[in-house]
Amino acid sequence: MMSTILEAYLENELALKRFLRRFIKSREGADDLAQEAFLRAFAAEPGRLIVSPKAFLFKVARNLALNELARQSTAATEPLGDFEGQEVLEDSSQAAVDDAVDGRERIRMLAAAIAALPPQCAKVFILRKMQGLSQKEIATRLNISIRTVENHVALGLVRCKAYMRAHGGASDQGSGISRIPDPAPEAFVKAKVAE
């Protein structure tokens, strides 16, 4: 039996790439994000029941595009306003529309939380949690120690969770933060000391 995510991707590949070009102006960038969205959605499929594979695939793609925009911008929330009100999916299910709206709000809140971090902390946090680079790769790229990378990641996680809670985003229920693993207790202590 063919994967429902693979089926949805094959049926909607061109539409998905056009959708991503609204966010990412380069054709290659949009194509890369479409493939990344497929890979992430496909990897998530075994662990859950996906009722609407197309909606899930487009939601993953949108999250990746918004993360890319936040990474490219020093003011992560400015470009997000340009997409307000656009329909993400053409799905007749009200639940899917509600999920898309809720997801958009959580992404905006997460982007604002990351933008509120100190600049170096935000850079490290995005490289580690959004782009998946190893601590060693980040340390080399930014010319800082691995311990400093650990401290920035732990501090970013703590502050983003606090921001989400303070602004009405239940950080433990469906937000992007909940999927980010908690830091080791030692790293948490170091992050608190670094403040």
Side-chain angles (χ1 to χ4, degrees), residues 170-181:
S171 65
D172 297 327
Q173 299 176 353
S175 72
I177 290 292
S178 66
R179 290 185 295 273
I180 299 172

Side-chain angles (χ1 to χ4, degrees), residues 39-137:
L39 291 173
R40 289 194 184 196
F42 185 75
E45 188 176 33
R48 66 176 71 173
L49 173 66
I50 299 174
V51 178
S52 179
K54 177 184 174 186
F56 184 73
L57 182 62
F58 274 71
K59 189 173 191 176
V60 169
R62 179 179 174 86
N63 290 347
L64 286 170
L66 291 175
N67 287 342
E68 180 64 18
L69 287 174
R71 186 187 65 78
Q72 292 174 359
S73 173
T74 56
T77 56
E78 286 181 15
L80 300 178
D82 296 343
F83 302 106
E84 199 169 306
Q86 289 186 359
E87 287 300 315
V88 176
L89 305 169
E90 295 175 15
D91 193 330
S92 59
S93 164
Q94 184 60 42
V97 172
D98 291 344
D99 285 347
V101 170
D102 289 345
R104 240 188 324 246
E105 290 305 312
R106 283 193 301 270
I107 289 297
R108 279 197 190 112
M109 195 176 297
L110 178 58
I114 293 170
L117 294 173
Q120 183 77 343
C121 180
K123 190 181 298 181
V124 169
F125 189 79
I126 289 168
L127 289 172
R128 178 75 178 130
K129 296 301 182 182
M130 306 300 182
Q131 294 185 7
L133 295 181
S134 72
Q135 292 177 354
K136 185 177 180 181
E137 290 170 321

Side-chain angles (χ1 to χ4, degrees), residues 1-8 10-11 42 45:
M1 187 173 110
M2 185 184 283
S3 155
T4 58
I5 293 294
L6 178 57
E7 216 173 323
L10 294 174
E11 290 174 5
F42 185 75
E45 188 176 33

